């Protein structure tokens, strides 16, 4: 099992990192080509598409992965349920497009939503093969699929943006990425069986999946509430600035969390009856996540001014301060995202559901209040209120037999090293401002941050450093 876990982490991390280098570079180029209004329009459409995609497989994917033994009959029944749900969602979304466009006051959303609704057809035929690959811990194949999908769709998006397709370059890029993944998983793990539309014997799957689905809907509301509020109250252009800042701040969270979650949930499911091993694995993973999350995200915060002006240009200047603020809180989001994998694998998806219910209520109120001061106020609400949400997430530790002290001991060394790094980077900015070009200043700040964090990690966080090295040996 340990060999499979390490192999999974190596392949998943390698693929994500390689793909990230390419996609980040292309994303920055696309952002220079498109306008804040384009990104604001896509964010409005994505809110509703993402909400309905949360329902697309009814939580059956984690239910099927978590189950110790699974037979073909259950897979065919799950396939039948997924077909019915996705066809229903496809019809419902297309019926609602005009109402969604009216809510945001922009008729251009109608064709965008209609094209993006094709993802329901793709989900229909891609879910079961994806489940099979995860159950068999085929992380190498999964990593190659996600890597090639990310790179190829990013290249297509850039080509279309250069050709003047505007918002449609983002739309077609999204559809292409989904199509690529579905074709690939069917090649690696084909499931060419007829669906069974009977619900007999599916009660446990539906119960587990239903709880997971409710948690996902709460997670969606929690993650998209700020987008809805900014789009409705502050308009497309401000939403464009905010969504790009959030996108840049969230990219490391999404990628690193995806690396761990892709491996963690199926592996933790194997350890669900071994509490001691599960606890050890959770704390070790938090320590490794913290070691990566704090320098990457706080590093972005410390050089956000240079990143925006050099790579995106003056037209995106209003995204600088939101990016600086949002990246400060993202390490906590990366850590608490991981808790759900552990509690779900432990057979307690209800815990994550309760945590998300609390987060959705508290953060939505904070966003409404913060929006009175524009997108800066919304970003400040993350800084001011999210630590309270994080402490509530820590209740998950009790189920696993862990204490808050165990979590803090895993996080604090990386946090302390990141504070020192941030101070060093800002000192270099203060010393060099006005004396060198922005690009040279950015390079000096980057090198200073890397060296400072590396040195402080060897002094303050040797255990985490050794654990990371062991993964790649």
């Amino acid at each position: 099992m340990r060999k499979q876990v390490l192999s999974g982490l190596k392949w998943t991390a390698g693929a994500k990192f390689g793909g990230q280098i390419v996609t980040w570079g292309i994303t920055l180029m696309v952002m220079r080509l498109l306008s804040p209004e384009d990104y604001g329009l896509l964010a409005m459409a994505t809110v509703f598409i993402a909400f309905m995609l949360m329902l697309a497989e009814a939580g059956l994917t984690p239910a099927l992965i978590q189950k110790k033994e699974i037979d073909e009959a259950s897979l065919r029944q799950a396939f039948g349920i997924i077909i019915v749900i996705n066809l229903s969602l496809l019809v419902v979304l297309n019926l609602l497009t005009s109402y969604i466009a009216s809510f945001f006051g922009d008729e251009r959303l109608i064709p965008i939503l209609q094209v993006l609704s094709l993802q329901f057809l793709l989900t229909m035929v891609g879910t079961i093969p994806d489940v099979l690959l995860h159950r068999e811990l085929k992380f190498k194949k999964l990593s190659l699929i996600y890597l090639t999908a990310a790179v190829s769709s990013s290249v297509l998006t850039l080509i279309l943006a250069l050709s003047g397709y505007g918002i449609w370059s983002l739309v077609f890029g999204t559809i292409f990425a989904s199509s690529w993944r579905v074709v690939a998983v069917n090649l690696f793990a084909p499931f060419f069986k007829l669906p069974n539309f009977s619900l007999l014997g599916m009660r446990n799957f539906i119960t587990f999946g239903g709880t997971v689905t409710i948690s996902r809907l709460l997670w969606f509301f929690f993650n998209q509430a700020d987008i809805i509020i900014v789009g409705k109250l502050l308009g497309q252009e401000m939403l464009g600035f905010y969504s790009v800042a959030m996108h840049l701040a969230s990219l490391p969270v999404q990628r690193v969390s995806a690396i761990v979650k892709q491996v963690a949930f199926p592996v933790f499911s194997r350890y669900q009856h071994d509490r001691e091993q599960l606890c050890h694995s959770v704390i070790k993973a938090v320590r490794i996540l913290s070691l990566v999350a704090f320098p990457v995200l706080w590093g972005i915060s410390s050089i956000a001014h240079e990143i925006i002006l050099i790579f995106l240009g003056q037209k995106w200047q209003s995204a600088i301060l939101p990016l600086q603020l949002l990246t400060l809180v993202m390490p906590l989001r990366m850590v608490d995202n991981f808790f759900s994998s552990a509690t779900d694998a432990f057979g307690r998806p209800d815990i994550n559901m309760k945590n998300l219910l609390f987060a959705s209520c508290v953060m939505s109120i904070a966003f409404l209040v913060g929006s009175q001061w524009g997108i800066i106020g919304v970003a400040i609400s993350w800084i001011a209120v999210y630590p309270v949400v994080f402490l509530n997430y820590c209740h998950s530790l009790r189920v696993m037999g862990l204490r808050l002290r165990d979590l803090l001991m895993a996080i604090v060394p990386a946090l302390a090293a990141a504070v020192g790094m941030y101070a060093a980077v800002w000192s270099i900015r203060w010393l060099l401002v006005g004396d060198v070009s922005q690009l040279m200043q950015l390079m000096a700040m980057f090198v200073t941050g890397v060296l400072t964090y590396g040195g402080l990690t060897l002094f303050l966080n040797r255990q985490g450093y050794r654990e990371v090295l062991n993964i790649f040996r």
Side-chain angles (χ1 to χ4, degrees):
M1 176 66 73
R2 182 178 184 275
K3 185 177 179 181
Q4 284 178 298
V5 175
L6 293 180
S7 175
L9 282 173
K10 288 177 185 177
W11 274 101
T12 307
K16 295 285 185 183
F17 181 72
Q20 196 65 78
I21 293 176
V22 176
T23 55
W24 272 356
I26 293 176
T27 296
L28 292 174
M29 287 189 281
V30 172
M31 286 178 177
R32 286 190 71 94
L33 294 168
L34 302 184
S35 68
E37 187 179 4
D38 288 329
Y39 277 91
L41 194 61
L42 182 70
M44 290 174 180
T46 302
V47 165
F48 290 91
I49 292 291
F51 171 76
M52 299 187 83
L53 284 172
M54 290 286 170
L55 304 170
E57 38 89 19
L60 289 176
T61 294
L64 292 169
I65 293 173
Q66 195 264 351
K67 194 74 172 177
K68 190 171 184 180
E69 301 291 339
I70 192 76
D71 55 24
E72 182 183 302
S74 297
L75 291 173
R76 289 178 58 212
Q77 287 177 286
F79 188 25
I81 294 171
I82 290 166
I83 288 175
V84 171
I85 291 173
N86 278 272
L87 288 178
S88 301
L89 291 172
L90 177 65
V91 172
V92 169
L93 179 61
N94 278 274
L95 291 174
L96 292 177
T97 53
S98 60
Y99 296 101
I100 295 171
S102 176
F103 176 79
F104 283 115
D106 197 322
E107 293 296 315
R108 290 176 295 172
L109 284 170
I110 294 176
I112 292 172
L113 289 166
Q114 289 171 338
V115 173
L116 289 174
S117 70
L118 294 175
Q119 291 177 88
F120 297 116
L121 298 178
L122 298 170
T123 301
M124 233 169 33
V125 296
T127 300
I128 300 300
D130 186 71
V131 165
L132 295 175
L133 287 172
H134 278 92
R135 282 188 60 83
E136 296 167 11
L137 306 182
K138 301 295 185 181
F139 300 119
K140 178 179 178 180
K141 293 179 178 178
L142 286 164
S143 299
L144 290 173
I145 290 169
Y146 289 115
L147 170 63
T148 53
V151 173
S152 58
S153 62
S154 295
V155 171
L156 175 64
T157 301
L158 178 59
I159 292 172
L160 292 174
L162 287 168
S163 301
Y165 279 83
I167 179 68
W168 288 103
S169 60
L170 301 172
V171 174
F172 291 137
T174 299
I175 294 296
F176 183 83
S178 298
S179 302
W180 185 289
R181 286 194 296 268
V182 168
V183 171
V185 294
N186 275 279
L187 288 174
F188 284 125
F191 186 76
F192 302 129
K193 307 291 182 183
L194 291 174
N196 183 347
F197 297 99
S198 171
L199 298 179
L200 188 64
M202 293 295 288
R203 181 177 178 179
N204 289 337
F205 291 107
I206 293 173
T207 300
F208 186 97
T211 305
V212 170
T213 299
I214 293 172
S215 296
R216 287 179 174 178
L217 292 176
L218 290 170
W219 176 88
F220 163 82
F221 183 75
F222 160 56
N223 278 274
Q224 297 294 325
D226 52 347
I227 299 294
I228 296 171
I229 290 169
V230 172
K232 183 65 177 175
L233 300 181
L234 303 179
Q236 285 177 5
E237 187 176 24
M238 286 298 104
L239 177 58
F241 290 125
Y242 182 81
S243 64
V244 163
M246 178 59 79
H247 179 67
L248 292 175
S250 299
L251 272 175
V253 177
Q254 293 167 355
R255 298 302 184 263
V256 175
S257 294
I259 291 170
V260 177
K261 279 193 169 188
Q262 187 174 327
V263 178
F265 181 67
V267 172
F268 283 176
S269 295
R270 301 288 181 92
Y271 285 137
Q272 59 184 289
H273 302 298
D274 187 344
R275 183 184 293 263
E276 183 177 349
Q277 181 62 47
L278 182 62
C279 290
H280 173 75
S281 299
V282 168
I283 290 300
K284 181 177 179 180
V286 168
R287 192 158 43 241
I288 293 172
L289 273 177
S290 300
L291 188 143
V292 175
F294 279 100
V296 170
L297 291 159
W298 285 27
I300 292 173
S301 176
S302 65
I303 59 175
H305 184 270
E306 288 73 20
I307 290 175
I308 295 293
L309 294 183
I310 292 174
F311 295 108
L312 300 188
Q314 288 285 342
K315 68 179 179 181
W316 289 99
Q317 189 168 6
S318 296
I320 293 174
L321 187 52
L323 178 59
Q324 288 177 322
L325 296 170
L326 291 170
T327 42
L328 290 177
V329 80
M330 286 298 167
L332 297 183
R333 292 195 65 188
M334 192 178 292
V335 172
D336 67 40
N337 278 340
F338 176 72
F339 289 158
S340 62
S341 292
T343 52
D344 285 356
F346 213 73
R348 293 293 306 277
D350 59 297
I351 294 173
N352 189 45
M353 181 179 69
K354 293 173 183 176
N355 287 338
L356 286 168
L357 180 60
F358 176 81
S360 299
C361 294
V362 171
M363 293 307 299
S364 296
I365 295 171
F367 297 146
L368 280 170
V369 174
S371 66
Q372 305 304 310
W373 291 271
I375 58 175
I376 304 301
V378 177
I380 290 174
S381 67
W382 277 105
I383 298 288
V385 181
Y386 194 76
V388 176
V389 172
F390 180 78
L391 289 176
N392 184 68
Y393 269 97
C394 293
H395 292 159
S396 306
L397 299 172
R398 299 175 185 173
V399 178
M400 295 175 278
L402 293 169
R403 299 168 298 172
L404 179 59
R405 181 177 179 276
D406 299 322
L407 179 68
L408 293 177
M409 291 295 289
I411 293 175
V412 167
L415 171 63
V419 169
M421 175 198 73
Y422 208 105
V425 170
W426 273 63
S427 297
I428 289 296
R429 170 187 281 121
W430 181 75
L431 290 172
L432 296 181
V433 65
D435 295 332
V436 297
S437 67
Q438 279 192 330
L439 183 58
M440 290 299 297
Q441 183 175 313
L442 175 62
M443 292 174 64
M445 293 165 69
F446 178 80
V447 171
T448 299
V450 171
L451 293 177
T452 303
Y453 187 79
L456 290 174
T457 295
L458 291 175
F459 180 69
L460 300 171
N461 196 12
R462 289 187 180 181
Q463 184 176 1
Y465 171 75
R466 287 195 296 267
E467 288 170 342
V468 170
L469 285 183
N470 287 337
I471 293 175
F472 296 100
R473 281 177 178 172

